[in-house]
Amino acid sequence: GGMGGMGMGMGHMGGMGMGGMGMGGMGMGGMSSNNERAFVTALQASGINSAALTLLLPMNLVNVLVSNGLMAEIAQRSGAKIDLGNEGPSGMRQVTLSGTMVANALASLYLQEKAIQFQQMH
């Protein structure tokens, strides 16, 4: 599939990085924050660094996140670049995350958390 092709492109160094990461992750044990940071660092170092992910979020949520500076905070925390796209169907807005796969996944997770909090407030 697509991942296989990407792995080939990464070449020998990428393969080495991934192997090292697996071993490091095994050895670390309980400290989740350090674990997570090491995992993210290792993944970022492995050369999977040009992914884009487009989400559809409610327009009013996007406005709240932008006006409260939360969008910028999420971009900073995750390491992904967040671009606001066009208005989509029925009050939705396209939001494109670009960065490493890990950064995009983290940004997506943070956005989902905010969306849940937002729904509970309204």
Side-chain angles (χ1 to χ4, degrees):
M3 281 298 291
M6 220 153 128
M8 301 279 288
M10 280 177 0
H12 192 61
M13 289 302 292
M16 296 285 288
M18 295 296 277
M21 181 198 77
M23 296 297 288
M26 296 293 283
M28 289 178 80
M31 299 171 291
S32 75
S33 62
N34 288 348
N35 239 352
E36 189 179 329
R37 199 167 298 125
F39 181 69
V40 168
T41 305
L43 274 173
Q44 286 171 341
S46 71
I48 307 174
N49 57 4
S50 56
L53 183 66
T54 302
L55 307 174
L56 272 179
L57 296 175
M59 194 75 175
N60 48 7
L61 171 64
V62 173
N63 292 340
V64 167
L65 291 178
V66 171
S67 62
N68 292 344
L70 292 169
M71 206 62 108
E73 184 191 310
I74 288 171
Q76 195 175 10
R77 274 174 68 192
S78 65
K81 185 166 171 286
I82 302 179
D83 291 304
L84 300 182
N86 302 324
E87 285 186 45
S90 62
M92 303 296 272
R93 179 93 187 249
Q94 280 186 1
V95 177
T96 302
L97 312 175
S98 49
T100 64
M101 287 183 178
V102 179
N104 293 349
L106 287 171
S108 173
L109 178 69
Y110 297 146
L111 285 168
Q112 283 168 16
E113 283 175 357
K114 296 287 184 238
I116 290 166
Q117 289 167 7
F118 179 78
Q119 282 165 355
Q120 286 168 350
M121 291 186 325
H122 291 265

